[in-house]
């Protein structure tokens, strides 16, 4: 009798996964908290995540858009945690306000992939993004070269609490520090946005009779500055340099090909790499704590080849 019970129990156990198959979804649910979808670069990142996730039938991605609002992004993550996601992917709006919720998710045992904008500390599984300090330095070196070491610059800055804005500024300033003839004469904040950059550039144009170059922390702001200068008939007086280098007709690569920008620096979204890292984590593999993505300088010489890609 006892033997029979054991056999029955073993049989029940062996059959259990078949019986339970329907109740528990076979998919791994990823919650992806995006800081905003108002900028083309963010739309491209989401598209990359969605496209790559399709290659893995075990993955399902839920998307949330925080609309550039730190409090909404915290609420979005709280919501994901209530939904019992298996992994959190997040591109934080600003570092400081998003750090506690990322820490909370990570410390509750959920793997966390932080994308492009860092948080404070290191309570996450992996950070994926390009090196913004290095991009800023490369931009500074390029600018010093095309200005022959002399000129007045307007620097248009991204959202101050987002680390890429800080690093793109400090890297740039370090690189031009060797050239006393180069001065930053105006450095407004335009929060990554084209329209705000247009308004800020109007003030810069009013305040300065001559500007040699505009360095903007992303391409939408560089294009905004270009449009403001063009509206005043002053676009020919100065050069424009941006960052992002998105492909496609509205992207920075095309703007370089069209001669609106002198250069841009490719800032990969990391969407594909993030999905690949998630898949590896689900398989139980170890991923590096930091994955640094490459950049590429785009000038007229390589813009046409790169624009369609
Ligand atoms: C989009 C964006 C990009 C920029 C990145 C920096 O929100 O502003 O244009 O390269 O964020 O985090």
């Amino acid at each position: 009798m006892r033997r029979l019970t054991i056999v029955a129990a073993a049989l029940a156990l062996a059959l259990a996964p078949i019986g339970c198959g329907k109740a528990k979804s076979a998919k791994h649910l990823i919650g992806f908290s995006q800081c905003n979808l108002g900028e083309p670069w963010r739309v491209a990142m989401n598209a990359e995540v969605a496209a790559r996730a399709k290659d893995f039938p075990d993955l399902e991605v839920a998307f949330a858009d925080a609309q550039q609002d730190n409090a909404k992004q915290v609420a979005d993550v709280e919501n994901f945690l209530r939904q019992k996601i298996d992994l959190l992917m997040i591109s934080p709006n600003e570092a400081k306000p998003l750090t506690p919720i990322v820490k909370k998710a990570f410390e509750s045992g959920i793997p966390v992939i932080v994308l492009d904008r860092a948080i404070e500390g290191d309570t996450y599984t992996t950070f994926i993004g390009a090196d913004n300090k290095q991009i800023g330095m490369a931009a500074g070196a390029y600018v010093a070269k095309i200005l022959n070491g002399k000129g007045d610059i307007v620097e248009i800055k991204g959202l101050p609490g987002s680390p890429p804005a800080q690093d793109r500024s400090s890297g740039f300033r370090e690189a031009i520090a060797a050239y006393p003839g180069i001065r930053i004469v105006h450095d407004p904040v335009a929060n990554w946005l084209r329209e705000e950059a247009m308004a800020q550039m109007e003030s810069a144009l009013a305040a300065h009779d001559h500007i040699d170059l505009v360095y903007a922390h992303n391409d939408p702001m560089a294009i905004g500055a270009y449009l403001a200068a063009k509206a005043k008939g002053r676009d020919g007086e100065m050069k424009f340099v941006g960052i992002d280098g998105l492909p496609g007709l509205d992207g920075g690569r095309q703007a370089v090909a069209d001669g609106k920008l002198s250069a841009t620096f490719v800032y990969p979204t990391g969407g594909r790499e993030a999905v690949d890292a998630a898949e590896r984590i689900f398989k139980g593999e170890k991923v590096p704590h930091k994955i640094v993505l490459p950049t590429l300088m785009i000038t007229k010489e390589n813009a046409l080849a790169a624009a369609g890609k």
Side-chain angles (χ1 to χ4, degrees):
M1 186 64 193
R2 195 152 165 245
R3 250 187 91 131
L4 247 182
T5 319
I6 293 171
V7 170
L11 247 175
L13 263 180
L15 292 175
I18 301 169
C20 290
K22 280 214 175 90
K24 192 179 183 303
S25 159
K27 296 228 173 196
H28 289 122
L29 181 60
I30 298 174
F32 179 25
S33 167
Q34 180 61 281
C35 57
N36 81 77
L37 275 181
E39 296 167 78
W41 189 87
R42 301 270 154 208
V43 175
M45 189 201 264
N46 275 35
E48 222 183 287
V49 167
R52 185 57 173 158
K54 279 209 184 117
D55 294 337
F56 301 106
D58 63 313
L59 297 188
E60 189 180 319
V61 187
F63 293 87
D65 168 14
Q67 298 165 9
Q68 266 213 356
D69 179 340
N70 295 318
K72 172 154 189 336
Q73 191 160 27
V74 171
D76 286 345
V77 177
E78 295 276 13
N79 193 25
F80 279 149
L81 297 181
R82 274 193 299 274
Q83 285 177 42
K84 301 260 177 280
I85 52 165
D86 300 303
L87 182 144
L88 174 68
M89 240 145 80
I90 181 166
S91 197
N93 189 47
E94 289 184 287
K96 200 178 179 63
L98 271 306
T99 296
I101 190 69
V102 168
K103 189 164 187 267
K104 179 178 162 184
F106 181 69
E107 286 177 352
S108 77
I110 296 172
V112 178
I113 299 176
V114 178
L115 275 164
D116 130 71
R117 295 187 186 171
I119 56 155
E120 292 178 349
D122 65 352
T123 48
Y124 51 83
T125 312
T126 182
F127 172 84
I128 302 177
D131 184 336
N132 285 295
K133 180 97 187 224
Q134 190 220 322
I135 292 176
M137 292 184 81
Y142 169 78
V143 162
K145 194 174 128 210
I146 60 169
L147 291 183
N148 289 318
K150 200 174 162 306
D152 287 353
I153 294 180
V154 172
E155 177 185 6
I156 303 187
K157 296 172 156 179
L159 190 65
S162 61
Q166 297 153 11
D167 295 344
R168 290 174 192 183
S169 188
S170 66
F172 183 79
R173 283 164 188 254
E174 265 177 43
I176 61 165
Y179 303 88
I182 296 183
R183 295 186 307 163
I184 296 177
V185 293
H186 208 93
D187 61 347
V189 166
N191 298 317
W192 302 118
L193 300 171
R194 193 175 93 150
E195 281 65 31
E196 286 191 32
M198 279 182 85
Q200 293 293 352
M201 188 62 192
E202 279 161 19
S203 310
L205 290 162
H208 302 279
D209 290 343
H210 184 84
I211 296 166
D212 294 292
L213 186 140
V214 175
Y215 165 57
H217 291 179
N218 71 0
D219 289 342
M221 295 193 296
I223 296 290
Y226 163 81
L227 291 172
K230 192 172 156 66
K232 288 271 180 289
R234 288 180 61 183
D235 53 306
E237 162 193 323
M238 65 197 81
K239 297 185 159 62
F240 300 86
V241 173
I243 295 170
D244 276 352
L246 278 181
L249 274 184
D250 298 327
R253 300 187 201 183
Q254 188 63 45
V256 173
D258 293 344
K260 294 174 183 162
L261 306 185
S262 298
T264 183
F265 293 79
V266 173
Y267 187 58
T269 71
R272 181 187 174 95
E273 290 80 359
V275 174
D276 287 349
E279 182 66 9
R280 285 175 63 187
I281 291 168
F282 289 134
K283 279 194 191 143
E285 291 172 23
K286 244 187 119 42
V287 293
H289 195 52
K290 191 169 188 177
I291 298 174
V292 181
L293 304 175
T295 185
L296 174 70
M297 183 166 87
I298 305 282
T299 59
K300 203 138 200 166
E301 282 72 50
N302 60 351
L304 279 177
K309 283 192 196 141

